[in-house]
Amino acid sequence: MRASDLKPIVALTAMLAALPLAVRMNNYYVLLLTWILYYSTLVTAWNVIGGLAGQLDLAAASYIGLGAYTMGTLLTRLDVTPWVGIPLGGLVAAGFAALVGYPTFRFGLKEAWYALATISSVVVLQKLFLVWEEIGGPEERYLPARYGELYYLRFRGYAPYYYILLAVLVMVLLLNVKIRRSKTGYYLLAIRENEEAAEILGIDVRKYKLRALLIYAFVTGCIGGIFALISGYLHPHHFDTWTSLQVAILGIVGGAGVGSIYSLPATTFIIYSISELLRSTLGGWIPGIHLIFYGVILTVVVLLKPEGLSETYERLYGRIRAALLRRRAGGG
Amino acid sequence: MLELLLQNLVNGILMGCVYALVALGLALQFGVMDIINFAHGEFVMIAMYLVFWISLYLAIPGSLTSLIVAPIYFVFGLVIYKLVIDRIVGTYPLAQIAATIGLMVLLRNLALAAWRAQPRGLQYEVLRGSVTLGPVVVPISRLTAALVSVGTMLALRWFLTHTRLGLALRATSDDMQAASLLGINVRRMFALAFGLGCAIIGIAAAFIMTFQQVNPESGLTWGLISWIIVVMAGLGGVSGVLLSGLILGMVEALEITFWDPRASLAVMYSLFILILWVKPRGLFGRR
């Protein structure tokens, strides 16, 4: 990893760490920021499989649900701290990913078929947990309400979760930069551009796709555990196909794998804020207006700018920078 | 137990015919233009709402609205084709998936915005009651839906094998370039296939509404059921679609009899993943 890779991460972290203070810890805004960070971490993790490896994965909710149930069940039944439960949830999610992913890549499922198989896995798990009364079942299972204890990681406000997610986001960003610069990263890009050509060049396509999938599933499983802590209960609807779709939509609109990785949190920030604004102002008259917005933006971006918005940001950033430099040159 | 199994199997066979009809539209679109339409289930859901509202305002039975909804949906298909599909046919697959997922999210939430989340069912319907055959009770509504489904499928097969337009559609499906060289306007065939596929959805929706309710979330289930059938059928033509629908209906019936009805989707989608793994070209495919 180079120093130039670290600079933007440090700047971003400092900015995001200050944000809750900028809104004076207002509960509503901190909650909003927490969800923005939650989706940012998911999309940034998704970049490994969806961006670098170019597989349109819609199983994010499977991994979130498995991570949530693993952490939550260990916590409520055996009093195991989330510090252990969260990574274990990541492992369970990665195990499930391997179970589904190995044959999926082995039999060469690609493109739409991969997307369909992965979104089906979400529904399968949701229904199985609904029927599996010992662990899941149709009723909510609440996590212990022991607020403020570090052992239980349960807090009354959202700010602590915001900072936990910020730490996770930084780790996932670093992970992405590291993978991108590694041999695995170059292999994955080659696979995304042309799988047959990559295979002919001697890249073990299946192995590297599976590796990307496992990394992504592990991280997403961990985020699922944190999600359960924030929501405070377990329910089969944590296996939510809409979450999967939302993550993929943000990834595609953000141009996952095309430009800079920072385009993904930036896109999440913009789209989630607009959709929340729509929901809070017009949602009373038009329920689902914020979700309509997701559909519109995805369709429009894919039809007009199929490579996503990352390049647009870069051009914008370049223009702003040039304007600032010009002003400084003119002033001095 | 045996009676229950028999009853469920009869239900499964009837449902299987309906599933097949819903999937037929998708199979036609996929077969002709190789397009991956994730919004198919949402098309079904919107059509079911259309049936509900037309039946309510014109005070006619839901089954009769098929005569109105099918042509409306043919036009709807053409419009969607012009607006979205025409731009993504033949482009790279991820763009196709993403654009139709966008359409799916858009339609689902437009339905939610317009009609809220509560389920809607037809106010009145002439297809009521049931016939009793020994130990088995057959609801008239489901029986009619199954018969109409099979009838529509036979009609489509006749169209594809006995008319010039149908032959042109099949030629486009077999080899787009060769068809184009023979003077077939491929883009018009695409539009026709998309419109026809949607018209079939219109017919199916009218008869599904005679025994089911609709809510904005029901699209996902119909979409995935259709995808299972299309994958099972491969590019095996109309009879492949019907057989796959029947298999799916019976699998569901067996699951309901021997396990938990709430898990039936889990079993169906597991079957789907399994077929994708071992038989990606389908059980009845010719390619």
Side-chain angles (χ1 to χ4, degrees):
Chain A
M1 203 166 303
R2 306 169 196 163
S4 62
D5 291 335
L6 289 178
K7 236 167 51 181
I9 292 190
V10 172
L12 187 75
T13 313
M15 202 179 76
L16 288 176
L19 261 184
L21 304 172
V23 297
R24 282 190 241 119
M25 289 289 175
N26 173 308
N27 251 332
Y28 171 71
Y29 286 110
V30 172
L31 177 61
L32 175 62
L33 288 171
T34 306
W35 286 125
I36 289 175
L37 270 195
Y38 170 69
Y39 283 106
S40 299
T41 50
L42 286 175
V43 179
T44 315
W46 186 82
N47 184 56
V48 178
I49 186 84
L52 296 177
Q55 307 297 312
L56 206 127
D57 188 286
L58 295 176
S62 295
Y63 310 137
I64 292 169
L66 286 173
Y69 265 102
T70 308
M71 189 287 296
T73 307
L74 286 173
L75 182 64
T76 48
R77 299 284 171 84
L78 303 169
D79 216 32
V80 175
T81 170
W83 292 98
V84 178
I86 288 172
L88 277 180
L91 284 181
V92 170
F96 176 75
L99 206 68
V100 179
Y102 180 78
T104 298
F105 294 138
R106 164 70 186 73
F107 295 117
L109 283 198
K110 279 189 286 193
E111 296 150 6
W113 310 114
Y114 182 80
L116 284 167
T118 47
I119 199 166
S120 301
S121 85
V122 178
V123 181
V124 170
L125 285 179
Q126 187 195 63
K127 299 300 174 195
L128 286 182
F129 272 82
L130 191 68
V131 182
W132 190 13
E133 302 275 356
E134 291 82 44
I135 300 293
E139 271 148 45
E140 289 98 343
R141 290 172 184 275
Y142 288 94
L143 300 183
R146 303 191 55 166
Y147 297 110
E149 287 176 55
L150 264 185
Y151 184 83
Y152 291 100
L153 273 183
R154 303 270 288 125
F155 306 101
R156 278 186 197 282
Y158 292 101
Y161 295 118
Y162 177 84
Y163 287 103
I164 292 174
L165 284 169
L166 179 58
V168 177
L169 179 64
V170 171
M171 282 190 266
V172 181
L173 283 171
L174 286 172
L175 183 74
N176 264 286
V177 173
K178 205 168 154 50
I179 294 175
R180 177 70 187 76
R181 297 252 186 264
S182 71
K183 192 178 78 177
T184 307
Y186 287 106
Y187 282 2
L188 288 177
L189 285 182
I191 291 170
R192 188 191 69 188
E193 290 308 319
N194 189 334
E195 206 171 307
E196 283 77 27
E199 185 115 48
I200 290 166
L201 286 173
I203 297 175
D204 189 342
V205 171
R206 263 189 259 157
K207 182 176 136 192
Y208 283 95
K209 275 203 226 168
L210 195 62
R211 184 177 287 180
L213 178 67
L214 292 187
I215 295 171
Y216 150 70
F218 176 79
V219 174
T220 310
C222 294
I223 300 169
I226 300 171
F227 171 75
L229 288 171
I230 301 175
S231 62
Y233 67 95
L234 305 171
H235 190 270
H237 73 211
H238 286 344
F239 296 98
D240 180 11
T241 48
W242 168 238
T243 310
S244 284
L245 288 172
Q246 208 174 352
V247 170
I249 291 173
L250 292 170
I252 294 165
V253 173
V258 179
S260 153
I261 180 81
Y262 303 102
S263 155
L264 298 177
T267 304
T268 310
F269 197 96
I270 295 169
I271 291 189
Y272 200 93
S273 305
I274 297 176
S275 84
E276 175 59 24
L277 187 71
L278 286 172
R279 194 191 65 79
S280 58
T281 50
L282 300 174
W285 298 309
I286 315 169
I289 175 91
H290 58 300
L291 306 175
I292 294 174
F293 171 68
Y294 273 92
V296 172
I297 192 124
L298 177 65
T299 315
V300 169
V301 166
V302 169
L303 291 182
L304 302 181
K305 271 189 90 59
E307 71 282 0
L309 296 178
S310 60
E311 199 197 335
T312 315
Y313 299 143
E314 270 159 46
R315 221 177 308 132
L316 211 65
Y317 175 71
R319 226 180 264 171
I320 292 171
R321 216 181 126 138
L324 286 177
L325 285 177
R326 229 179 297 126
R327 184 179 293 175
R328 199 183 293 167
Chain B
M1 192 65 195
L2 191 68
E3 281 177 18
L4 183 67
L5 177 65
L6 214 60
Q7 174 71 54
N8 284 343
L9 274 180
V10 169
N11 278 349
I13 288 169
L14 296 181
M15 268 323 272
C17 296
V18 178
Y19 288 163
L21 185 62
V22 172
L24 187 64
L26 186 69
L28 185 67
Q29 295 163 356
F30 176 64
V32 171
M33 62 184 104
D34 216 5
I35 190 79
I36 300 137
N37 182 11
F38 274 71
H40 182 76
E42 271 60 32
F43 286 11
V44 178
M45 179 265 298
I46 300 265
M48 286 165 80
Y49 271 109
L50 266 183
V51 169
F52 171 78
W53 288 113
I54 291 176
S55 158
L56 190 70
Y57 279 110
L58 300 185
I60 54 173
S63 39
L64 269 184
T65 60
S66 58
L67 300 174
I68 307 171
V69 176
I72 293 180
Y73 241 52
F74 183 77
V75 177
F76 168 80
L78 294 184
V79 171
I80 295 279
Y81 177 81
K82 266 287 160 226
L83 284 180
V84 180
I85 310 296
D86 191 44
R87 296 162 199 254
I88 54 173
V89 160
T91 58
Y92 65 109
L94 283 191
Q96 297 180 348
I97 306 172
T100 53
I101 285 181
L103 207 56
M104 159 185 172
V105 173
L106 181 65
L107 290 176
R108 181 185 305 179
N109 294 297
L110 278 176
L112 182 69
W115 303 309
R116 311 293 146 122
Q118 82 263 34
R120 309 268 196 184
L122 289 178
Q123 299 292 320
Y124 77 103
E125 173 55 51
V126 285
L127 301 173
R128 285 162 177 276
S130 51
V131 270
T132 314
L133 295 170
V136 179
V137 180
V138 184
I140 302 275
S141 55
R142 288 183 189 237
L143 185 65
T144 319
L147 290 176
V148 169
S149 299
V150 176
T152 312
M153 276 182 259
L154 289 177
L156 183 80
R157 190 155 88 168
W158 181 84
F159 171 74
L160 288 176
T161 47
H162 285 82
T163 62
R164 286 182 65 88
L165 209 53
L167 288 173
L169 263 181
R170 277 172 62 211
T172 313
S173 161
D174 281 346
D175 190 331
M176 205 198 309
Q177 276 172 332
S180 172
L181 284 174
L182 289 171
I184 295 173
N185 184 338
V186 172
R187 294 266 157 185
R188 266 183 61 191
M189 287 301 122
F190 286 174
L192 176 67
F194 209 80
L196 264 184
C198 287
I200 293 172
I201 293 176
I203 299 173
F207 286 91
I208 293 170
M209 278 303 276
T210 60
F211 58 89
Q212 266 195 6
Q213 295 187 323
V214 59
N215 70 64
E217 294 289 315
S218 47
L220 182 71
T221 310
W222 286 112
L224 280 166
I225 284 177
S226 307
W227 275 107
I228 302 174
I229 292 173
V230 168
V231 166
M232 254 203 257
L235 292 168
V238 176
S239 48
V241 173
L242 180 57
L243 278 175
S244 306
L246 289 173
I247 292 176
L248 195 66
M250 284 195 275
V251 167
E252 192 185 16
L254 291 175
E255 195 282 330
I256 290 175
T257 315
F258 294 111
W259 199 23
D260 192 324
R262 290 175 300 174
S264 70
L265 285 180
V267 172
M268 282 155 86
Y269 297 150
S270 304
L271 179 75
F272 176 49
I273 298 176
L274 208 67
I275 290 174
L276 279 175
W277 283 347
V278 294
K279 275 275 194 192
R281 295 268 168 275
L283 303 177
F284 310 104
R286 58 197 160 96
R287 279 191 211 158

